[in-house]
């Protein structure tokens, strides 16, 4: 990484790819956020509820990933940066605690906390960078974008019902489009990824840790639900299916591709471009897929031998589809690899949708787990075969 310039007392060294303990401590709050999002979606398994949860997931993601980019440039072990992270952590705790009632009585709390995160963080960075830094203008542009969306978030906090959702959809659309548009501001132009001199290995590790957070939350939900239910063979089988499904998702992401992607972005000529596409945008469907899968596991555990309604079918099959689709795009963006194995798994899962109308949740979950586990095993075998032949 090339130093972005600025005040050297707060910047990371060019080769410093460490994930510090304060960054890990900061992530603890987002375990709560993912848990709250899962709980919210679990009680809103209808189209409007899915839209509600999607908006909040995007807001949580931008709150986390923007901070991950900042700690890529700024040294978290420096006192000012550490205090910033602790402050952001406290505000994130307020935001996360408001998630279950974000469309109810806590909407304004959520909006104020989110705006404080996005605007306050940008203000800190803009002031901490020397004016001649090649990143100073970039963060000024980011501050403009976050300031434009802030009134929509706050207005949504005061509104209610469909109006709140509409305002927040507009706000999160602005926040989501910012990086893709290069933070374009009239008169200031746009930022180019070539100017984003990041440490690719650090950003890759931060994203991997967030995937672990999501998968860990899924395991936590499964274990908690199972512990509260009457234990019989059906619930035990549902637990095994849920657990093995989570293991298969972990295997797909971490067995080879995560490390290969980390190495690829670490040596890339424009790591900022890969960081924007692969780690800022394409991890969103993977995280969403883990959350939706956890919801499907919850529903299956509660009624393993009942009927599979559209909500069960959508969550049991839709979660892995989202994860695999995001992973396909991620591998293509970072490694230039188009995996037929994972594409086939997506198509098979989609094809299982109509079959879910005649299968109980346990059978549907078991089939989904078999498909994902088969994709994981085949991918591992193909990698091993490639390594053996190249050797």
């Amino acid at each position: 990484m090339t130093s972005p310039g600025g005040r050297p007392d707060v910047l990371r060294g060019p080769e410093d790819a460490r994930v510090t303990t304060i960054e890990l401590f900061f992530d603890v709050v987002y375990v709560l956020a993912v848990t709250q999002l899962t709980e919210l979606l679990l009680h809103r398994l209808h189209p409007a509820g899915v839209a509600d949860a999607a908006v909040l997931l995007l807001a949580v993601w931008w709150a986390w990933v923007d901070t991950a980019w900042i700690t890529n440039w700024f040294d978290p072990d420096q006192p000012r940066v550490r205090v910033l992270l602790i402050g952001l952590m406290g505000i994130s705790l307020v935001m996360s605690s408001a998630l279950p009632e974000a469309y109810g009585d806590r909407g304004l709390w959520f909006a104020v906390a989110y705006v404080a995160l996005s605007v306050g963080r940008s203000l800190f960075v803009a002031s901490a960078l020397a004016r001649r830094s090649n990143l100073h203008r970039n963060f000024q542009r980011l501050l403009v974008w976050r300031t434009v969306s802030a009134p929509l978030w706050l207005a949504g906090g005061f509104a209610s019902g469909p109006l709140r959702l509409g305002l927040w959809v507009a706000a999160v659309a602005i926040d989501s489009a910012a990086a893709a548009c290069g933070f374009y501001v009239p008169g200031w132009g746009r930022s180019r990824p070539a100017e984003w001199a990041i440490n690719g290995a650090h950003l890759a590790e931060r994203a991997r840790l967030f995937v672990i957070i999501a998968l860990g939350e899924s395991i936590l939900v499964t274990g908690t639900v199972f512990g509260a239910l009457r234990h019989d063979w059906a619930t035990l089988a549902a637990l095994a299916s849920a657990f093995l499904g989570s293991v298969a998702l972990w295997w797909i992401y971490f067995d080879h591709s995560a490390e290969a992607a980390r190495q690829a972005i670490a040596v890339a000529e424009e790591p900022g471009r890969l960081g924007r596409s692969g780690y800022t945008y394409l991890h969103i469907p993977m995280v969403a897929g883990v959350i939706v899968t956890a919801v499907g596991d919850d529903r299956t555990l509660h009624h393993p031998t009942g009927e599979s309604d559209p909500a069960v079918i959508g969550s049991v099959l839709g979660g892995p589809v989202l994860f695999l689709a995001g992973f396909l795009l991620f591998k293509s963006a970072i490694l230039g690899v188009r995996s037929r194995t994972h594409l086939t798994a997506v198509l098979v899962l989609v094809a299982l949708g109509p079959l879910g109308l005649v299968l109980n949740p346990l059978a549907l979950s078991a089939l989904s787990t078999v498909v994902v586990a088969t994709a994981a095993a085949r991918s591992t075998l193909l990698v091993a075969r490639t390594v053996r032949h190249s050797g």
Side-chain angles (χ1 to χ4, degrees), residues 44 48 51-52 55 103 155-156 159-170:
R44 291 171 175 261
D52 292 345
V55 167
Y103 292 98
S160 60
L163 179 57
R164 173 175 293 177
L165 177 61
L167 289 166
W168 283 359
V169 166

Side-chain angles (χ1 to χ4, degrees), residues 10-377:
V10 294
L11 296 178
R12 280 182 180 266
E15 304 302 324
D16 185 2
R18 295 172 305 130
V19 174
T20 60
T21 55
I22 187 65
E23 291 173 274
L24 296 175
F25 190 40
F26 174 83
D27 287 352
V28 170
V29 172
Y30 286 84
V31 176
L32 172 62
V34 173
T35 301
Q36 300 281 54
L37 286 170
T38 303
E39 189 70 17
L40 179 112
L41 181 59
L42 185 61
H43 293 94
R44 291 171 175 261
L45 283 174
H46 49 78
V50 171
D52 292 345
V55 167
L56 297 181
L57 170 61
L58 286 170
V60 167
W61 177 255
W62 293 119
W64 179 85
V65 82
D66 280 358
T67 305
W69 276 77
I70 285 173
T71 55
N72 193 278
W73 284 306
F74 289 82
D75 183 358
D77 286 333
Q78 294 301 316
R80 278 192 295 167
V81 183
R82 182 173 291 180
V83 169
L84 169 70
L85 286 176
I86 292 171
L88 294 177
M89 187 178 178
I91 300 170
S92 296
L93 183 60
V94 174
M95 179 188 73
S96 299
S97 66
L99 284 169
E101 293 296 324
Y103 292 98
D105 295 340
R106 299 291 177 86
L108 186 58
W109 280 94
F110 172 82
V112 169
Y114 178 80
V115 168
L117 280 169
S118 59
V119 175
R121 181 178 49 226
S122 299
L123 280 171
F124 170 87
V125 174
S127 63
L129 287 167
R131 292 192 175 276
R132 292 184 180 180
S133 162
N134 56 5
L135 276 179
H136 186 259
R137 180 67 76 187
N138 179 67
F139 279 102
Q140 286 182 318
R141 296 185 185 101
L142 174 60
L143 179 59
V144 170
W145 277 78
R146 295 300 186 244
T147 303
V148 167
S149 69
L152 294 171
W153 285 110
L154 296 174
F158 283 106
S160 60
L163 179 57
R164 173 175 293 177
L165 177 61
L167 289 166
W168 283 359
V169 166
V172 83
I174 293 172
D175 289 346
S176 299
C181 295
F183 310 108
Y184 174 77
V185 174
W188 287 353
R190 69 179 69 243
S191 298
R192 295 173 299 170
E195 299 170 349
W196 306 340
I198 64 169
N199 188 306
H202 174 268
L203 186 62
E205 186 64 19
R206 297 293 288 120
R208 294 199 296 186
L209 289 170
F210 199 93
V211 173
I212 285 290
I213 286 174
L215 287 168
E217 188 277 337
S218 177
I219 295 290
L220 178 64
V221 167
T222 299
T224 302
V225 171
F226 179 74
L229 296 174
R230 180 174 62 88
H231 293 180
D232 55 27
W233 287 110
T235 54
L236 184 60
L239 174 69
S241 178
F243 173 69
L244 292 175
S246 295
V247 170
L249 295 180
W250 174 88
W251 198 290
I252 285 171
Y253 184 88
F254 285 97
D255 178 53
H256 172 74
S257 297
E259 179 59 23
R262 189 191 71 83
Q263 293 176 10
I265 192 174
V267 300
E269 291 185 5
E270 290 189 15
R273 186 179 302 278
L274 296 183
R276 180 181 65 179
S277 60
Y279 291 98
T280 299
Y281 283 108
L282 296 181
H283 269 63
I284 296 173
M286 287 190 276
V287 172
V290 174
I291 292 173
V292 174
T293 299
V295 170
D297 292 340
D298 184 291
R299 293 293 297 268
T300 301
L301 278 163
H302 275 100
H303 305 287
T305 58
E307 294 185 0
S308 296
D309 58 25
V312 169
I313 297 170
S315 55
V316 169
L317 299 178
V321 166
L322 272 173
F323 184 93
L324 288 168
F327 184 72
L328 272 168
L329 295 171
F330 170 70
K331 283 188 71 173
S332 178
I334 302 296
L335 301 175
V337 175
R338 293 174 175 82
S339 173
R340 294 180 182 178
T341 297
H342 299 114
L343 177 59
T344 300
V346 169
L347 296 176
V348 171
L349 288 167
V350 171
L352 287 175
L355 190 59
L357 297 173
V358 297
L359 294 177
N360 62 39
L362 175 56
L364 189 64
S365 174
L367 278 176
S368 175
T369 296
V370 168
V371 172
V372 178
T374 300

